[in-house]
Amino acid sequence: MSRPPAELQMSSVKPPQPSPLASSGGGGFTPVFETSPAPSPASSRRPSFSAPVPRRLSEVAGRDSFSFAQMPAAAIPEDSVPPQGGASLSRRSSMVSGPRPIQRKDYSGPPTPSVLSRAGSPTLPLSNEFTQAPRSYFEGVGGFSTLDSNRELRNGQFIGSLDCGTTSTRFIIFDKRAKIIAEHQTEFEQILPHAGWHEHDPEALVEAMTECINKAVEKLEWMGWSRKSIKGIGITNQRETTVAWSRSTGKPLCNAIVWDDSRTLGVVREYEKKLDEEGMDIDDEEEDLKGVPEEVEIGTGGEDAAFGEKGEIVEDGEGVTEKVGKAMEGLGLAGRGKPNGTAHHKKRKGKEGMVDVTGIPLSTYFSAIKLRWMLDHQRPVHEAHEADDLMFGTVDTWLVYNLTGRENGGLHIMDVTNASRTLLISLKTLQWHPPLLRFFGIRPSVLPKIVSSSEVYGTISESIHTPLTGVPIAGIVGDQQAALVGNKCLKKGEAKCTYGTGAFVLFNTGEECVRSEYGLISTVAFQAGPDAKPVYALEGSIAVAGSAIKWLRDQINLIEESSDMDILAGSVADTGGVYFVTAFSGLLAPYWDRDASGTIIGLTSYTTSAHIARATLEAVCFQTRAVLDVIEKESETKLETLKVDGGVTNSDLAMQLQANIGGFNVARPAMRESTALGSALLAAHALKLFGWDLTKPETLADVNTAGVHIFEPELDEKDRRKAVRGWEKAVNRAKKWHEEGDEEEEEERYESERGFKRLG
């Protein structure tokens, strides 16, 4: 952990009690927050990984020596230069010419950043000149220092944000200018039981949430601020991750299935076939609402629930199927049929019909598919569903349920941005859609109430054992939509990209719900209050970004730490013709090929680990450009500047590559906790705090404006086009690698061995 700026170094004054901010080495006061997740304590239920982690290269005896051919002479440590003459212990002969990768032990340049933590600047932790609170925040009233034994806690006005990501949770406390007052972050267990499977223990998510809130408030009070200064909290979460629990006990019925889990390929194919052969009902009949709480709104499922017209509509009746188009309306044949068999009954068929209603395609990505797998393979979930004891939700639903009392009156709600990722709502009506519930065989009684992204939902219960009892929960938003808000992309035509575990480009389309013609997702961006009109967005989702770097580190041992990426990838001028299509679980937008496979192509005897590392960074840049190319077609607007956030943006090299490959400017703020900031903005908006008003962007003029760095393209257009053509060729070779049925057979065999055989 690095030391703070000089004005905050108070090592000569000893606090009356151990500081929650002090470094483990003891000694001085270090008011700096974690920039990467702290290791879980030995007693924690959350080890870092559930699967064995390969040994680091540094743990293996007899490492090869390395060449310094690619390093500036000034950067080579004198004591590291190999002797001239004598026998070499390296298997690499001096007769071999060509590039030699630089590794950490050979490097003495400036500090390099972690690219797997969203926090911090490229070279400093969160507490740098742009993100830290003013020095006055560390002083008590009446002249008492926060370090004096007689200190007095002050009351301020802050907003908290709980950010539950894919690999870690954090709680951040912001002031009115989005300066970070205090924060805490911790990892939770990644359960990887089988290839393509990714799970979380729902109780571990609650444990991580509680720890982060408690530790952050402890730091806040140690700095001299009362916990009462936190006027409310917002929540942002990994989207699509699906949780199932018992209504009677409040306990999870199985592990959560994470958004990038791909075990459900067979489920997707099954429902694609059903959609093609049987279709999805179109009707205006009320669904049986027995057992559904009064506050849960269920739509009627009529034709007006669709916002697009690309799908095929057919009318079944008396054994005859007739296609119904606009031309038939003049003949009086477009009236709504009834599904009781006594009249013509219209259906929506084909995968485009699903997108017309939901804005999203049938994919392993979305929540209804994951819930259907649970119902078919997890007996506790199946039995709870049959007994009407099942509660379903995404991570926001689960966390709010626990924060507000759990089985003792906990709220069962889901914000509209997360609901738009379930495949169960009409994107136009923003209500649960009965034909979709019937199509997937899901009881309406399992559903949470859909709420806006900004309103006071309830208060934190004392049962969760945090110091924030009674504090209102006032904002909920999916993490990528939160980053859109946090980057202040509040107007139609503004875009951002978040480079985290995956990468996600969102383009604000305003109050218009746009049906993409080129493979993007239509989604809800946010709804700034229950009476506010929803704002929509087009999204391009890239499944693999930071996770590819983690793969290089943990599975391939190409690097020891994520901060080694810039050293290794920066030691060569280009990839040497290597392309890495990171299709670990297929390709998402704009390709949508679930049968694609991860592919490294262009290898020659010239290729080194440095070329592969650089190709890994370029992969996410090429995919981002592909998504933005589609957005430009949809909007007929040329993107000049892309706003960015997320861990990978800590890398100057990665952001320069993005500017070069994209051909546009890349704007990176110093404080890149845009996801957490987005939920804080929504919560403060609901509480009318700081004067923040999302309908008036000018009220956010002072929010997170310092230290924006602009990366400009440095590549000729001719070279850029050539690089993009090479990428597209590589993608074409990665597509359709898996043959239909192969993976399902393997999944079925594994499920049978583990007791997950499909229930009757």
Side-chain angles (χ1 to χ4, degrees), residues 66-89:
F66 296 93
S67 167
F68 299 90
Q70 298 298 312
M71 294 184 63
I76 303 175
E78 292 183 6
D79 58 355
S80 297
V81 179
Q84 302 297 318
S88 170
L89 298 179

Side-chain angles (χ1 to χ4, degrees), residues 115-116 500-502 543-556 558-559 565 580-584 612-613 615-617 619-620 623 648:
V115 290
L116 295 181
T501 302
V544 177
S547 55
I549 298 169
K550 192 173 182 181
W551 177 77
L552 292 182
R553 183 192 68 184
D554 297 338
Q555 267 70 33
I556 306 302
L558 203 64
I559 55 175
M565 254 330 256
F580 184 6
V581 182
T582 52
F584 292 164
I612 294 173
T616 304
L617 293 179
V620 67
Q623 291 179 82
V648 179

Side-chain angles (χ1 to χ4, degrees), residues 84 108 231 530 606 694:
Q84 302 297 318
S108 61
K231 302 304 181 183
Y606 176 82
L694 297 184

Side-chain angles (χ1 to χ4, degrees), residues 247 290-292 383-390 443-446:
R247 178 177 286 109
K290 183 178 180 180
V292 180
E383 292 177 350
H385 188 249
E386 294 303 306
D388 204 16
D389 187 45
L390 178 64
R443 289 176 180 266
S445 60
V446 311

